[in-house]
Amino acid sequence: MNISMRWLSEYVELSGVSATEVARILTDRGLEIESTRSLSKGFEKVITVKILERNKHPGADKLSLCKVSTGSGEPLQIVCGAQNMKAGDIVALAQIGAVIPNGLKIQESKIRGEVSFGMLCSEEELMMADEAEGILILPPDTKLGQPLADVLGRNDTILELKITPNRGDCLSMIGVAREVASALGKKVLKPQVTELDFKGAKISTKLDAGDQSLQFFGCEIEGVKVGPSPDWLKQKLESMGSRSINNVVDCTNYLMFETGQPVHAYDASKLKGTELSIRLGRSGEKLPLLDNTEVVLRDSDLVIADAERSVALAGAMGGGNSEVTDSTTKLYLECAEFHAVTVRKSAHGHDKKTDAATRFEKGIDSANLGYAISRLKDLIIKAAGGKVTGSTKTIHPRHPRLTSKKQIVFSPEYIREFLGVTTSDAEIRKTLTSLEIEVDTNKPLWVAVPPSYRNDLSIKEDLAEEIARTIGFDQIPATIPPLSSVPSGVEPKLIERAKDILVNQGLNETLTYAFNSRSWLTQFGLDSGIKIQNPLSEEQEVMVPSLIPGLMKHHIENENKTFGSDPLAVRLFEIRPVFTQKPGAEIRAVGETDTGTTETWKMAAVISGPRFASSMKVHQERVDFSDLKSVVESWFTALGTKGIRLRSWDSGRNLTHYSKIFHPGQTAEVWAGKDCVGLFGRIHPALAVKLKLAKDDVWLTEIDWNAVEKLSRSTLSGATFAPWAEFPTMERDFALVVNADLESDRLTGIALKAGKPLAKVAKIFDVYKGKPIAEGKMSIAVRVIFADPTRSLAEAEVEKASQMIRDGWKKELGIELRS
Amino acid sequence: MSDLIGKLNSLEGEVLAQIAAAKSSDALEQIRVSVLGKKGSLSEVLRGLGSVDAAERPKIGAVSNQVKAKVEEALSRAKETLGSAEINAKIAKEKIDITLPARSLHLGSLHPVTQTVRKITHILGKIGFDLTTGPEIETDFMNFEAVNIPKDHPARDMQDTFFVGPGVVLRTQTSPVQMRAMREQKAPIRILCPGAVYRADNDATHSPMFHQIEGLWVDKGVRFSDLKGTLQFFAQELFGSDVKIRLRPSYFPFVEPGCEVDVSCFKCGGRDEKCSICKGTGWLEILGAGMVHPRLFEVAGYNPNEVSGFAFGLGIERIAMLLHHIPDLRLMFQGDVRFLKQFL
């Protein structure tokens, strides 16, 4: 909503009050100022002059040499490139030193050898029009040497307000004036009108849509002359950013901007029959509108209809079939009130979110229709002539706001306690009264009745806000609330620790969007996903069922942004929810909280590139499975996660939805209890090709964080000390030749079992494939550590245990020791 | 007798000359063994002692001891000199170029959004706030109606909503988490709800997904002035003890009264017309706040006549951009390692 300072001053006395001061007042009272713009900016050194002579420029065919007079002193020579002027025209001269609205600095200059003492301006250069042919020619009676801003009525400042949805009453000059007047302790100057008598109308009005049609006021005028608007009208509309159409339509817009009440003027000769009604649309009925579109009505739309057809989409836009044109002489003025939600649905449904609809849906002043239509009639007669031949009004007998006045019961003590202020009873009463809120203070509990235009005031908290914003939020003290219970304090969340551990492993946390494109997810074999019904683009259409596609997108973007020959290390992780449909459920709201969807938090990471951050060639070995395994295992160790087991991935059986993402031969399953909760391993070679990766040694993991969290140590409890053996341990190393596809943990597992109770640790410390070991075999070295926490061990018992281990391997795997 | 003494004296002279000429610790060791060892030349000379008159023997013994002492002293001195020369030579040989690049490990980092959430929760944790979270896909009821934004209310236009099913939306704000918390626990309640929120808006200053953190304090007798004091504490802890806050009346359906909150520019304090942070206005808009609307208490099952409370919400990316001088919101979601690695 634009507020012209000049126009505003017609409703509240503003002498000596600057635009800056008004802007501050409005800000302090909750009307946000988006911008402040002086209309005369750039017009400071632009004046009116008369062209005395126009001659050809001796050095250029397309230029003219003009002599202009400012009304006094010597004529000035100006070089001009326009062709539309002649001697005698009054034009706008930007003098030396001017900086005109388009940013051009005017300096004394020589153009093709001729001196020019300024520039004659076009409307385009003055930013008054998007384009212009030639320079601005002013009316012949314009005085010379005047500032152009004065002549054009541009000595004005426009405040652009952002009105919050609760303050529909401030979508009008009078509404804003009320706020300013209240702050300045002044009165609002509402224009005087000659009230209509609502008699003698030829056309009757009817409310034919139940509680959705609330009031219908009409006025008939004959003998108007439709034409261009007078300057006073045109200038005001332009200051609102509204285009002038003709004197009648402009008056309806003027009235709406002035009072906040949307109104409409019909060409009365085009209306059929003797009754206009507010009724519901007939499904399928077509209604041509003023913007040259046609809407197909629904039975939920409200319309104004004559005897035969709809003539307006109620509250939003008039019909093309009853439009006021240059030949119109008889007018019918409509001033009505409709149910706000119905107007909103109609305007949104047909994409006609007009200024009128905005005002209706935010609530108009129900008690002001009589004033508004009377004022409109005065304006039209002033701008277009004519005289009233009749008027009428119909009001819903059970109008919710007109039949009973809203009462708010409160106590001044409540206001003080709620705000934490010491404002006196008298001040509270005075403040409310200044806002035209009636207050009955005769009983201990006060009763407030808000004015009819304040639809936002209904509870005592609203009154508290009125007091607070009137005394000023800066006058409210700042207190720290007392703690009525022992604070539990922010418990360090395990998820934060989970992030820290990954950071310690040299990974960078990233944030991916929770949605991605269908086609991108399909590349990863993720075909199901919750679809957004109104996505901004295909790129953001599906809620992700896995974090990996997003991480890979970041991986690839990093690859694409890399220049030079240094190998790129990408080590990204994220812990975020993924989204899936509940099995067997539909995605729809059931009850208050069920959405039919499940959110599972996942930890996902991608690592690739050199193992070290060094740029030295010797250190540029690339990360492999072992690095990834270290990241995952260390993560579990540091989190104190209990009961995690790893297995080689059976891609046909467990977590099969990852089958296009992970390499079936280089991926591990992570088990937590009875559930397979995640994978870590290499990217599937086919996916690497599809994604056009520079190298296919990209290592991925995705693990169900909710499952891991349950098995991890609480951040508050910390680790428990475990004593180490006080007696010396003994070690035995075993070298075995086994089938190359044997998983090494079979060997260590058997060793620990067979070597019980002395064998405490069994670990692989070397693996060798190649000559002289036979094809299909490998040499593997196992170290077993024996100990007893209560004593030193004897050679013989260790030897005995070792033999049992050898026997175990032979029995279970059929393998003999190498030597 | 004089014969032996003469031999000892000449041995002494020879050995001292050898020592003086020795070039390494190893050569000195050889000299020591060849002279002082069991089969060394000194023992060789003293083997002739048997044929010497008994009365002469002590005299010869004394000379022999003197020779031995002199040799030992010369050896030890030479050893010291040569030894330090050798260490010096070793040191010189082992000199490395410490300016060569390190075999450095990768350094991990937390996203600025995470860091900012931690900063905020740390500050507000000091005055008793605890953390809680909620789902990102919400019912229309929880996201809107329960927080006093009825269907077909103009306030719905304040947020462009993504829909995923009938009555199911991507939450546009973290406010539904407040409502969930109030339904689960009784007052007093002091919680912070951080998390991702979604709005159908995408340009240089809006991301369709971004993060908010919302605070809620409900108890008996909570006042508007308490909201102001809490926000002032918060702003001064976050931006510096000399910043001021400014509350401007505004409207959010879930609070009454509602306000937008500005903090005085922590960079220029309003003194620089060309300030890159506040653009010369002196103020930075950082959050929205207000007193919890009684309608929310009714939905939550609280008695609005017994409790009151305040709530505030802020955009985390906005705060992170201010704190870390990040010029473009979009950098937050691009995963560019050149960006991420700056926030160690």
Side-chain angles (χ1 to χ4, degrees):
Chain A
M1 166 93 182
N2 283 354
I3 294 294
S4 144
M5 282 294 294
R6 259 196 359 185
W7 196 2
L8 184 67
S9 67
E10 293 182 14
Y11 308 102
V12 55
E13 202 272 312
L14 285 179
S15 57
V17 184
S18 67
T20 315
E21 176 66 5
V22 170
R24 191 194 60 75
I25 288 171
L26 294 176
T27 303
D28 286 351
R29 299 178 72 83
L31 305 183
E32 189 178 339
I33 309 291
E34 289 207 305
S35 68
T36 304
R37 178 162 54 90
S38 163
L39 286 187
S40 61
K41 191 170 190 314
F43 284 68
E44 290 86 352
K45 301 197 86 173
V46 184
I47 57 164
T48 54
V49 295
K50 186 178 208 162
I51 299 178
L52 302 175
E53 286 174 35
R54 177 184 169 186
N55 299 307
K56 272 205 158 164
H57 189 292
D61 288 349
K62 290 192 176 163
L63 295 180
S64 305
L65 216 52
C66 296
K67 283 239 168 350
V68 303
S69 164
T70 63
S72 62
E74 285 290 300
L76 297 169
Q77 172 168 293
I78 309 290
V79 178
C80 183
Q83 304 299 332
N84 66 324
M85 70 289 186
K86 58 183 191 298
D89 281 345
I90 297 181
V91 296
L93 171 69
Q95 296 168 288
I96 308 286
V99 181
I100 61 173
N102 72 352
L104 193 67
K105 253 188 204 166
I106 308 300
Q107 288 162 326
E108 183 181 319
S109 58
K110 254 190 184 176
I111 300 166
R112 300 263 177 128
E114 293 293 337
V115 182
S116 185
F117 294 94
M119 186 178 92
L120 303 183
C121 302
S122 72
E123 286 188 89
E124 185 184 346
E125 286 154 342
L126 294 169
M127 308 278 277
M128 291 164 60
D130 292 339
E131 52 186 328
E133 285 195 25
I135 57 172
L136 170 65
I137 312 271
L138 294 160
D141 57 351
T142 309
K143 278 190 188 164
L144 299 189
Q146 302 297 304
L148 182 67
D150 287 357
V151 171
L152 297 178
R154 294 184 69 96
N155 281 325
D156 197 0
T157 300
I158 305 295
L159 306 178
E160 194 190 341
L161 300 194
K162 191 171 151 190
I163 306 291
T164 52
N166 60 326
R167 291 304 302 271
D169 64 302
C170 286
L171 288 169
S172 66
M173 300 302 298
I174 290 177
V176 173
R178 281 190 196 111
E179 288 292 331
V180 177
S182 166
L184 295 174
K186 293 183 177 170
K187 279 219 149 33
V188 175
L189 313 166
K190 227 174 152 182
Q192 296 293 315
V193 299
T194 331
E195 280 269 1
L196 289 164
D197 55 6
F198 303 108
K199 277 181 194 154
K202 291 200 237 6
I203 298 176
S204 61
T205 52
K206 189 178 174 194
L207 303 175
D208 203 11
D211 291 344
Q212 298 179 61
S213 48
L214 295 168
Q215 302 188 65
F216 194 165
F217 287 51
C219 175
E220 295 155 12
I221 300 182
E222 287 182 10
V224 296
K225 197 166 178 301
V226 178
S229 288
D231 282 348
W232 61 267
L233 183 51
K234 213 187 258 181
Q235 278 173 16
K236 280 183 177 150
L237 286 187
E238 277 168 4
S239 71
M240 301 299 289
S242 179
R243 195 166 49 95
S244 172
I245 295 168
N246 60 45
N247 47 6
V248 171
V249 175
D250 287 1
C251 281
T252 61
N253 285 329
Y254 182 105
L255 189 276
M256 177 179 72
F257 292 136
E258 180 179 70
T259 64
Q261 170 67 47
V263 286
H264 184 59
Y266 302 84
D267 183 331
S269 66
K270 294 176 186 166
L271 298 175
K272 318 283 186 192
T274 55
E275 184 184 82
L276 278 178
S277 61
I278 302 173
R279 62 159 168 85
L280 290 169
R282 298 191 174 118
S283 196
E285 186 184 352
K286 284 174 183 161
L287 170 60
L289 293 176
L290 286 175
D291 63 355
N292 294 322
T293 62
E294 187 180 76
V295 293
V296 178
L297 295 172
R298 304 167 303 187
D299 56 12
S300 57
D301 291 325
L302 268 188
V303 295
I304 313 293
D306 64 14
E308 295 176 6
R309 71 229 152 118
S310 297
V311 291
L313 185 61
M317 196 179 281
N321 49 18
S322 51
E323 181 176 5
V324 172
T325 62
D326 289 353
S327 58
T328 301
T329 58
K330 288 183 183 176
L331 293 178
Y332 189 86
L333 308 180
E334 166 224 311
C335 179
E337 183 184 12
F338 317 99
H339 189 238
V341 170
T342 309
V343 172
R344 175 181 162 85
K345 281 185 178 167
S346 238
H348 281 238
H350 294 297
D351 197 22
K352 303 292 170 203
K353 295 174 217 164
T354 57
D355 283 344
T358 300
R359 284 167 175 80
F360 276 120
E361 69 171 87
K362 290 179 182 167
I364 57 155
D365 180 356
S366 304
N368 200 40
L369 272 63
Y371 174 85
I373 195 166
S374 302
R375 170 74 172 149
L376 174 64
K377 170 259 311 173
D378 288 354
L379 286 169
I380 286 180
I381 291 172
K382 183 176 168 197
K387 67 174 203 300
V388 175
T389 58
S391 58
T392 184
K393 65 177 175 181
T394 311
I395 298 173
H396 194 297
R398 292 176 307 279
H399 189 294
R401 283 178 296 282
L402 295 178
T403 47
S404 69
K405 283 196 170 180
K406 196 161 41 192
Q407 296 193 330
I408 305 169
V409 178
F410 71 105
S411 71
E413 193 50 38
Y414 154 79
I415 300 275
R416 285 188 285 269
E417 277 174 13
F418 183 67
L419 296 177
V421 296
T422 54
T423 316
S424 69
D425 286 9
E427 276 175 282
I428 290 172
R429 192 175 51 223
K430 191 177 146 218
T431 300
L432 294 177
T433 309
S434 82
L435 293 160
E436 301 183 24
I437 299 168
E438 293 168 28
V439 198
D440 180 352
T441 59
N442 291 324
K443 292 180 192 144
L445 282 179
W446 292 7
V447 178
V449 177
S452 58
Y453 53 86
R454 288 298 300 271
N455 294 317
D456 61 318
L457 303 181
S458 57
I459 54 175
K460 59 188 194 302
E461 285 78 4
D462 295 327
L463 297 180
E465 175 169 60
E466 294 304 298
I467 303 293
R469 72 187 183 96
T470 304
I471 61 177
F473 279 15
D474 56 340
Q475 296 301 311
I476 308 276
T479 54
I480 293 283
L483 284 181
S484 66
S485 65
V486 178
S488 55
V490 176
E491 182 194 336
K493 295 287 166 189
L494 205 56
I495 191 170
E496 300 305 321
R497 179 150 172 69
K499 289 180 183 178
D500 286 340
I501 297 164
L502 293 167
V503 168
N504 290 344
Q505 305 255 23
L507 273 69
N508 305 105
E509 186 192 16
T510 189
L511 278 173
T512 60
Y513 279 142
F515 25 64
N516 217 316
S517 71
R518 165 83 60 210
S519 61
W520 185 253
L521 294 174
T522 303
Q523 307 246 48
F524 293 78
L526 302 168
D527 297 317
S528 66
I530 296 167
K531 202 179 159 308
I532 297 174
Q533 292 173 339
N534 57 332
L536 286 176
S537 70
E538 278 181 17
E539 295 299 300
Q540 302 172 347
E541 195 179 358
V542 182
M543 298 302 286
V544 295
S546 160
L547 300 175
I548 288 178
L551 285 179
M552 281 310 298
K553 192 164 250 180
H554 283 182
H555 174 95
I556 290 165
E557 278 164 12
N558 275 299
E559 249 180 24
N560 294 344
K561 283 177 201 147
T562 309
F563 307 105
S565 49
D566 273 357
L568 172 74
V570 179
R571 304 165 65 87
L572 302 174
F573 81 93
E574 189 173 22
I575 306 183
R576 280 265 313 146
V578 301
F579 306 87
T580 47
Q581 196 164 345
K582 266 186 200 156
E586 260 183 86
I587 299 178
R588 55 162 51 248
V590 178
E592 289 181 345
T593 57
D594 190 8
T595 58
T597 65
T598 306
E599 293 178 33
T600 315
W601 285 68
K602 300 274 187 185
M603 182 282 280
V606 50
I607 62 170
S608 68
R611 179 170 295 143
F612 294 106
S614 163
S615 61
M616 298 288 279
K617 208 171 168 189
V618 67
H619 297 142
Q620 284 178 3
E621 208 176 308
R622 295 175 65 81
V623 292
D624 57 22
F625 183 81
S626 180
D627 296 276
L628 176 67
K629 187 173 180 181
S630 160
V631 168
V632 175
E633 285 188 332
S634 311
W635 190 59
F636 286 129
T637 307
L639 281 170
T641 316
K642 292 266 186 287
I644 293 291
R645 282 166 297 122
L646 306 181
R647 282 189 202 162
S648 193
W649 185 33
D650 184 345
S651 61
R653 189 165 155 189
N654 295 320
L655 304 185
T656 51
H657 58 282
Y658 286 121
S659 62
K660 288 190 176 168
I661 299 177
F662 285 92
H663 188 309
Q666 295 191 21
T667 295
E669 294 174 350
V670 177
W671 284 76
K674 282 180 190 145
D675 301 312
C676 184
V677 297
L679 298 178
F680 64 91
R682 189 172 192 153
I683 195 167
H684 196 293
L687 180 57
V689 170
K690 262 195 279 186
L691 300 179
K692 300 189 180 71
L693 298 186
K695 293 215 159 79
D696 72 353
D697 55 347
V698 171
W699 304 90
L700 300 169
T701 180
E702 183 158 61
I703 297 172
D704 184 334
W705 164 248
N706 297 128
V708 172
E709 190 178 24
K710 277 186 214 134
L711 298 173
S712 299
R713 191 174 59 224
S714 128
T715 49
L716 288 180
S717 63
T720 310
F721 173 75
W724 47 84
E726 291 291 348
F727 294 91
T729 59
M730 292 181 77
E731 292 177 5
R732 286 288 183 277
D733 291 351
F734 304 90
L736 304 94
V737 173
V738 298
N739 286 338
D741 61 358
L742 177 75
E743 292 190 346
S744 66
D745 72 344
R746 293 276 288 139
L747 292 174
T748 50
I750 291 168
L752 287 176
K753 211 171 85 190
K756 266 184 188 169
L758 299 182
K760 299 292 189 221
V761 177
K763 54 190 177 190
I764 307 297
F765 67 95
D766 196 20
V767 174
Y768 176 75
K769 290 176 192 172
K771 283 178 183 171
I773 308 296
E775 185 85 1
K777 298 271 181 185
M778 65 177 167
S779 162
I780 191 160
V782 186
R783 173 167 298 160
V784 182
I785 300 170
F786 301 90
D788 186 317
T790 62
R791 62 192 175 85
S792 294
L793 297 178
E795 277 289 339
E797 54 184 342
V798 169
E799 192 40 54
K800 199 176 149 200
S802 300
Q803 191 50 49
M804 286 165 72
I805 290 171
R806 287 187 204 100
D807 292 347
W809 285 332
K810 190 177 174 188
K811 198 173 133 205
E812 297 207 27
L813 301 171
I815 47 174
E816 302 268 8
L817 286 207
R818 194 174 157 202
S819 51
Chain B
M1 178 207 106
S2 61
D3 191 30
L4 265 183
I5 287 177
K7 271 186 183 168
L8 282 169
N9 284 336
S10 76
L11 179 67
E12 179 191 314
E14 253 169 62
V15 171
L16 290 180
Q18 276 176 25
I19 289 171
K23 292 255 158 33
S24 71
S25 306
D26 287 351
L28 287 176
E29 182 59 14
Q30 273 171 24
I31 294 168
R32 191 187 66 78
V33 172
S34 73
V35 179
L36 304 176
K38 275 184 188 165
K39 292 174 184 169
S41 44
L42 186 60
S43 312
E44 187 73 18
V45 172
L46 291 178
R47 227 165 266 149
L49 206 59
S51 59
V52 174
D53 185 28
E56 293 289 329
R57 284 182 194 170
K59 206 173 173 186
I60 293 170
V63 172
S64 155
N65 281 342
Q66 277 170 19
V67 170
K68 192 179 173 189
K70 271 189 184 169
V71 168
E72 277 174 345
E73 199 203 328
L75 274 171
S76 127
R77 257 206 312 268
K79 210 170 196 170
E80 209 169 280
T81 317
L82 274 176
S84 70
E86 277 165 12
I87 292 288
N88 287 342
K90 180 176 160 71
I91 286 169
K93 205 171 128 197
E94 288 176 352
K95 176 157 174 59
I96 58 163
D97 178 1
I98 57 89
T99 65
L100 284 175
R103 179 176 60 240
S104 40
L105 298 173
H106 295 288
L107 291 178
S109 58
L110 285 172
H111 196 281
V113 163
T114 300
Q115 295 192 24
T116 305
V117 171
R118 287 191 183 182
K119 236 173 242 162
I120 293 169
T121 51
H122 173 73
I123 291 168
L124 292 168
K126 290 193 219 176
I127 54 170
F129 283 89
D130 197 0
L131 275 176
T132 183
T133 54
E136 295 178 15
I137 297 183
E138 268 290 9
T139 58
D140 184 282
F141 176 82
M142 290 303 288
N143 190 74
F144 291 119
E145 287 180 62
V147 294
N148 199 32
I149 312 177
K151 283 203 167 66
D152 299 309
H153 191 275
R156 291 234 171 173
D157 297 346
M158 295 168 89
Q159 302 167 358
D160 291 320
T161 311
F162 286 118
F163 297 91
V164 294
V168 182
V169 301
L170 300 188
R171 69 176 178 197
T172 59
Q173 48 198 6
T174 38
S175 310
V177 186
Q178 279 185 22
M179 181 53 70
R180 284 173 180 270
M182 283 198 285
R183 284 181 156 196
E184 278 163 23
Q185 59 190 99
K186 287 185 181 141
I189 204 163
R190 295 181 294 265
I191 49 162
L192 293 170
C193 329
V197 297
Y198 302 87
R199 293 192 194 166
D201 217 346
N202 195 11
D203 58 41
T205 55
H206 296 91
S207 167
M209 169 175 147
F210 62 101
H211 294 76
Q212 276 190 341
I213 189 163
E214 193 141 322
L216 174 72
W217 184 305
V218 178
D219 203 345
K220 281 182 185 146
V222 177
R223 302 159 294 178
F224 189 51
S225 60
D226 294 332
L227 167 63
K228 196 170 168 182
T230 302
L231 294 177
Q232 185 171 296
F233 164 78
F234 168 70
Q236 292 181 344
E237 291 280 305
L238 190 64
F239 295 111
S241 55
D242 50 351
V243 302
K244 288 190 274 294
I245 60 165
R246 177 174 79 172
L247 274 54
R248 285 179 287 115
S250 189
Y251 168 73
F252 305 100
F254 26 88
V255 289
E256 185 66 43
C259 55
E260 291 198 271
V261 182
D262 302 332
V263 58
S264 60
C265 182
F266 55 86
K267 186 170 178 222
C268 75
R271 287 180 292 273
D272 179 5
E273 271 183 35
K274 288 175 184 148
C275 176
S276 61
I277 300 279
C278 69
K279 314 278 178 255
T281 63
W283 295 97
L284 303 163
E285 188 180 323
I286 57 161
L287 55 84
M291 299 300 286
V292 179
H293 196 285
R295 170 83 189 123
L296 272 70
F297 289 140
E298 285 162 16
V299 176
Y302 289 15
N303 182 347
N305 292 320
E306 283 177 5
V307 294
S308 56
F310 60 76
F312 54 90
L314 56 160
I316 295 166
E317 280 86 351
R318 160 129 179 98
I319 303 292
M321 287 170 78
L322 287 173
L323 290 176
H324 299 283
H325 301 248
I326 297 168
D328 190 337
L329 172 65
R330 288 170 289 201
L331 289 167
M332 299 279 191
F333 297 95
Q334 287 168 346
D336 193 322
V337 295
R338 295 170 301 184
F339 173 77
L340 299 175
K341 283 180 175 174
Q342 295 185 23
F343 302 97
L344 296 177

